[in-house]
Amino acid sequence: MRYKYLLLLCGMLLCVTSVMGQRHFTVVDGLPTGEVRQIVELPNGQMLVNCEGVFCISNGQSFDVIPCDHSKAYKQLNYGNRYGLLWQGDSVLWLRDFYYIYRFDVKQRMFVACDERHPDNRLRDSILSSAHDTPQPTAEQQYVIDSLRVGDVTVATKDRQGGLWFGTRSNGIVYQPPFSVKTIIHTNDDPLIGETRGATQRNGMTMFSVSLRDGRILRCNALHKLTYYLSEEQKEVSLNEKIPLLDKYRYMVGACLLDNAWVVVYTQNGLFMLDTSADTLAPFKQAKEIEHYSSKYNCMLKDRNGQLWVGTQNGLFMISKNKTTRVDGLANNCIRSLVMDADGHLWAGTSYGVSRVTPSIINLGTDDGIPAKSMMDRAADLTQNGRLVFVINGGQAVSFHPDELIRDEKPLPVVLTKIEVNGEDVRLLQDNLSYDHNYLTFYFSTLNYATPSHDRYRYRLRDLERAWNVCSDGCGQVTVDYKALPPGDYCLEVQAANASGDWGPVTTLSFVISPPWWLTWWTKLIYVCLALIFACSLLFLYLKKKKAKMEKENDDRVNRLFELREQARHQFAASVNIDPDKVAVNAEEEKLMTQMLKAIETHINDEQYNADLLARDIAMSRASLYKKMQTMLGITPTDFIRNVRLKRAAKMLVDSQLSISEIAALVGFATARNFSTQFKKMFGVLPSEYRMSCIQNDTDNQ
């Protein structure tokens, strides 16, 4: 009896607070029909729903239909009148309706064949017994059903978080989150609303007032008029008369005391610093960075750590040690009010609900009993009993105790609820994807049905991204697109954090995008080989061409050298005068020729001067000299010495009146007869005839 009353009390409490966080799922949310007959929680937290033989599965936000080929199901011989279920371990679920028995693979999230030849026929037969009928609502659940006034309930299921799922005969699913004391909505006649609004000191025309350390009160009257209120003298001193620059600000919103002298005054068109000791203005250094986003300031607060928080029409900013950071992840960036709770955590009222900012960002909404409405400017307060109050535009307020609204729970693991490849749904992602299947969409969720707005997610595609991508949209499911992924090995990593701010376990999914055949390792090897062959061919052609060019150049040089050599030999043979420059073909030969001529001229009258002595005088061996003379003139050193003697004699025959015998002795011939013989061999005439012909030529030329 006592248990019954306890259940009744719980039901009454649920009746009072059940509206908060309750959700109603219909065909608009993905249910194939409103006729819900079975709801089964899978090991990963997803809810499998049977709508009269058409199945769907929850994704954290809505439902996705699961294809079921009834030809693979087992058709009952006799129609049943109850639904049933049976677990085969934790990987296979057997389901029964009026007509069929289904076999569901939990890991692949798909229905598999169930026929006569299946080895688990004993389980198929077992599910037909009444012992495996879908459970009916318990007494506790029935009290909740009655309190919620849910009609035509066909099935009731409790999930891992304690939330209740009620399937109806024609109106979808009603979800009731776990019971918890959440928020209180205050109406116009509640004095707490006036007290919270009065916390901003907006009484009469006074927009705000700040108590200074010296006892004065800085007040703003009539939108942009600043005054000091002297409480002892009960009079006001105008600052606008001293500082005319104040008149450029249209609407002064509030002020924040920084230290003993300086006060930050923020307005709807900028902010400035006021030195209350010298009554002078100074610019606020961080304003330039903040006003990239908005110059309309709504609220400001200095926390216990000395950090300054600035709420604007387009963003919340934290200023710490002259560093300005824009806070990301809030449900709405229009910051209406700022307040600190008893633990020193910062809360923000926005244009769409309330967010806790520190120690981690949590966006609160309708799931937490907070209306999705705009909060009133600077109308937030902390009560003596530790409750936070936010006034809502329209004459309402919401209050709650932070510890009751946000519970310290372990973060849930992330579940990949759906994967699409090139826009097509795949139940199980293959380990290897072809190169043209590289547009991937991942859907994931913690399946936190009770408070999805408390979850934050972060993800990255390892080996492609180093930094985490953080998101917290509060809808219960996150969608991530990766387009045109290049071939490679990938690992998707996903984590979630709840209200505690701690990150939960990492969910991973590894896959490979294979390169096209023209980019595989073996084709790359072929490319390398072809490139080497091409490079070798080019090198071969280049070397061949270069060799041919060098051979041609060498032939040209040889031919030219041959021509020069012939010219030198002809010059030596035809001319009486021996010019080393014309007889030699290079500087080395010219030098050698000069040395030999000098040595022979020195000993020209010495008939004993021979090739050995000449080799000695020019510091060469006889063999080297012989070889050199053969190369240069094609004669022996002995012939060269004789030719030099005879050419000198020919000059003397023309240039002197000496007798032939005297000339023969002077050029190193022992007898005149030998001289005449050698002379005729060289010039074709006797010495006397040579002299006469030269004299005759000179006479004719005259």
Side-chain angles (χ1 to χ4, degrees):
M1 193 69 175
R2 181 181 302 173
Y3 177 70
K4 183 176 180 179
Y5 285 126
L6 181 60
L7 290 177
L8 179 61
L9 177 60
C10 291
M12 293 175 63
L13 289 173
L14 282 171
C15 183
V16 174
T17 61
S18 62
V19 176
M20 298 179 183
Q22 184 186 104
R23 272 174 284 174
H24 188 192
F25 297 102
T26 65
V27 292
V28 176
D29 303 294
L31 292 179
T33 71
E35 301 166 316
V36 178
R37 297 295 184 173
Q38 284 180 307
I39 303 176
V40 183
E41 184 179 28
L42 303 182
N44 64 359
Q46 287 185 282
M47 309 302 290
L48 180 65
V49 179
N50 182 353
C51 298
E52 290 282 12
V54 184
F55 296 87
C56 62
I57 192 169
S58 62
N59 57 33
Q61 181 183 15
S62 57
F63 290 85
D64 297 319
V65 174
I66 298 179
C68 178
D69 186 352
H70 283 70
S71 65
K72 295 181 179 181
Y74 175 73
K75 189 174 183 179
Q76 298 187 54
L77 299 178
N78 300 312
Y79 296 144
N81 59 357
R82 298 290 297 276
Y83 283 73
L85 63 93
L86 173 62
W87 280 99
Q88 180 183 347
D90 60 355
S91 60
V92 176
L93 174 64
W94 294 79
L95 297 170
R96 181 188 82 228
D97 61 14
F98 292 162
Y99 310 104
Y100 292 93
I101 295 176
Y102 310 90
R103 186 167 177 263
F104 183 73
D105 188 319
V106 174
K107 292 184 178 179
Q108 299 187 60
R109 283 176 285 189
M110 61 183 297
F111 287 93
V112 294
C114 176
D115 54 34
E116 292 287 349
R117 295 169 295 177
H118 200 277
D120 293 322
N121 284 337
R122 58 182 182 82
L123 294 174
R124 185 201 67 198
D125 297 336
S126 177
I127 196 176
L128 294 173
S129 67
S130 59
H132 299 293
D133 288 346
T134 300
Q136 295 299 303
T138 64
E140 178 184 358
Q141 292 171 347
Q142 190 60 51
Y143 276 114
V144 177
I145 292 171
D146 295 339
S147 65
L148 296 177
R149 298 181 181 179
V150 180
D152 292 333
V153 173
T154 57
V155 62
T157 301
K158 191 174 189 177
D159 64 23
R160 59 183 176 177
Q161 293 180 284
L164 294 176
W165 297 75
F166 303 114
T168 67
R169 197 173 305 277
S170 60
N171 200 26
I173 297 173
V174 175
Y175 169 74
Q176 176 62 37
F179 169 76
S180 63
V181 178
K182 293 192 175 180
T183 60
I184 299 176
I185 301 297
H186 305 265
T187 57
N188 284 326
D189 56 353
D190 194 320
L192 187 62
I193 297 177
E195 293 173 5
T196 305
R197 294 181 63 180
T200 62
Q201 300 296 327
R202 288 183 293 190
N203 52 329
M205 291 300 294
T206 302
M207 303 309 298
F208 62 84
S209 64
V210 177
S211 297
L212 304 179
R213 303 288 172 82
D214 59 5
R216 294 178 297 171
I217 298 175
L218 177 67
R219 296 201 305 192
C220 173
N221 297 314
L223 301 182
H224 61 88
K225 302 298 183 182
L226 279 181
T227 63
Y228 290 132
Y229 178 73
L230 310 179
S231 55
E232 293 183 358
E233 303 176 17
Q234 295 187 351
K235 71 174 185 178
E236 287 188 331
V237 178
S238 174
L239 280 172
N240 290 67
E241 296 178 359
K242 293 183 178 181
I243 313 174
L245 193 60
L246 293 175
D247 292 333
K248 80 169 189 176
Y249 296 99
R250 187 180 68 85
Y251 184 166
M252 294 184 184
V253 175
C256 182
L257 183 64
L258 296 182
D259 52 30
N260 292 333
W262 289 99
V263 175
V264 180
V265 179
Y266 49 98
T267 77
Q268 286 194 347
N269 62 323
L271 79 169
F272 58 89
M273 295 181 65
L274 171 65
D275 185 349
T276 57
S277 61
D279 293 342
T280 57
L281 302 184
F284 191 74
K285 295 180 180 179
Q286 292 76 17
K288 184 176 181 180
E289 187 171 352
I290 294 173
E291 290 175 8
H292 284 302
Y293 299 91
S294 176
S295 60
K296 183 180 179 182
Y297 297 85
N298 295 332
C299 51
M300 189 177 291
L301 183 146
K302 185 178 181 182
D303 65 17
R304 298 176 183 178
N305 299 321
Q307 299 175 134
L308 189 64
W309 298 86
V310 182
T312 72
Q313 196 75 4
N314 185 23
L316 175 64
F317 299 85
M318 182 190 72
I319 301 174
S320 178
K321 298 180 180 179
N322 293 325
K323 181 181 179 181
T324 304
T325 305
R326 189 171 189 258
V327 180
D328 295 322
L330 299 178
N332 186 271
N333 284 324
C334 182
I335 311 302
R336 297 295 186 184
S337 57
L338 294 170
V339 65
M340 288 179 60
D341 63 19
D343 295 323
H345 299 154
L346 182 70
W347 294 73
T350 74
S351 286
Y352 192 77
V354 175
S355 297
R356 191 189 73 177
V357 181
T358 60
S360 62
I361 294 176
I362 300 174
N363 297 313
L364 308 179
T366 54
D367 292 339
D368 306 284
I370 296 179
K373 297 180 179 180
S374 177
M375 303 295 116
M376 181 176 284
D377 290 346
R378 298 171 301 287
D381 198 13
L382 173 66
T383 65
Q384 292 183 352
N385 61 0
R387 294 183 70 85
L388 291 176
V389 183
F390 289 87
V391 178
I392 304 170
N393 282 336
Q396 291 182 322
V398 60
S399 70
F400 55 87
H401 198 289
D403 292 340
E404 294 177 349
L405 195 63
I406 299 178
R407 293 178 293 179
D408 190 11
E409 299 175 336
K410 291 184 179 179
L412 296 170
V414 180
V415 176
L416 287 166
T417 58
K418 186 178 179 182
I419 302 173
E420 292 180 354
V421 178
N422 287 7
E424 295 184 2
D425 184 14
V426 294
R427 291 295 169 186
L428 190 64
L429 187 66
Q430 299 178 4
D431 293 337
N432 284 279
L433 301 172
S434 62
Y435 72 95
D436 55 349
H437 287 67
N438 58 348
Y439 284 71
L440 275 67
T441 303
F442 299 98
Y443 301 81
F444 49 84
S445 172
T446 60
L447 304 173
N448 178 6
Y449 306 106
T451 53
S453 61
H454 292 190
D455 290 333
R456 290 186 300 138
Y457 297 86
R458 66 180 184 182
Y459 64 91
R460 65 181 176 185
L461 201 57
R462 204 172 61 199
D463 302 328
L464 182 67
E465 300 171 309
R466 292 185 177 180
W468 289 93
N469 304 290
V470 181
C471 58
S472 56
D473 53 10
C475 68
Q477 179 178 243
V478 177
T479 304
V480 176
D481 288 313
Y482 286 102
K483 299 180 179 179
L485 288 175
D489 296 351
Y490 296 100
C491 181
L492 177 68
E493 296 180 330
V494 185
Q495 272 183 299
N498 60 4
S500 66
D502 298 327
W503 292 101
V506 180
T507 298
T508 62
L509 176 65
S510 299
F511 59 94
V512 177
I513 297 180
S514 302
W517 65 266
W518 58 85
L519 291 179
T520 55
W521 67 267
W522 56 269
T523 54
K524 290 181 180 179
L525 181 60
I526 293 175
Y527 296 153
V528 172
C529 293
L530 292 176
L532 289 175
I533 293 173
F534 182 71
C536 291
S537 300
L538 289 179
L539 181 61
F540 175 76
L541 293 175
Y542 170 75
L543 293 177
K544 185 177 180 180
K545 185 176 181 180
K546 185 175 181 180
K547 181 180 178 181
K549 182 179 179 181
M550 292 177 63
E551 289 178 350
K552 185 177 183 303
E553 291 176 351
N554 186 56
D555 291 343
D556 292 342
R557 284 195 298 269
V558 170
N559 293 333
R560 177 60 180 164
L561 182 63
F562 181 77
E563 291 176 0
L564 293 175
R565 189 70 68 194
E566 289 298 319
Q567 291 176 5
R569 290 178 180 182
H570 178 74
Q571 175 70 19
F572 180 76
S575 176
V576 175
N577 295 318
I578 302 176
D579 188 353
D581 182 36
K582 295 181 179 180
V583 174
V585 296
N586 54 46
E588 181 183 356
E589 290 186 357
E590 182 180 352
K591 181 179 179 182
L592 178 62
M593 183 61 66
T594 302
Q595 291 176 341
M596 289 192 298
L597 290 175
K598 183 178 180 181
I600 294 172
E601 288 289 342
T602 303
H603 303 88
I604 193 146
N605 60 350
D606 185 0
E607 62 180 270
Q608 301 297 326
Y609 193 76
N610 55 24
D612 292 336
L613 296 175
L614 176 62
R616 181 201 63 186
D617 290 343
I618 62 175
M620 288 183 68
S621 66
R622 178 182 175 86
S624 298
L625 179 60
Y626 180 87
K627 184 177 181 180
K628 195 70 177 176
M629 291 305 300
Q630 286 291 326
T631 301
M632 291 174 61
L633 300 175
I635 59 177
T636 64
T638 301
D639 292 338
F640 179 72
I641 294 173
R642 184 175 62 250
N643 289 344
V644 172
R645 293 177 188 271
L646 293 172
K647 289 179 183 291
R648 172 57 64 88
K651 290 186 66 177
M652 295 174 67
L653 288 171
V654 176
D655 297 337
S656 69
Q657 298 297 322
L658 296 174
S659 66
I660 294 175
S661 298
E662 292 174 333
I663 292 174
L666 289 174
V667 295
F669 283 92
T671 64
R673 183 177 180 180
N674 184 32
F675 168 70
S676 297
T677 301
Q678 297 298 329
F679 191 89
K680 187 175 182 179
K681 287 182 180 180
M682 184 173 181
F683 294 101
V685 294
L686 293 172
S688 57
E689 295 173 346
Y690 181 82
R691 173 177 280 179
M692 290 301 296
S693 64
C694 290
I695 294 173
Q696 185 64 40
N697 289 336
D698 290 341
T699 303
D700 294 341
N701 291 333
Q702 293 178 356

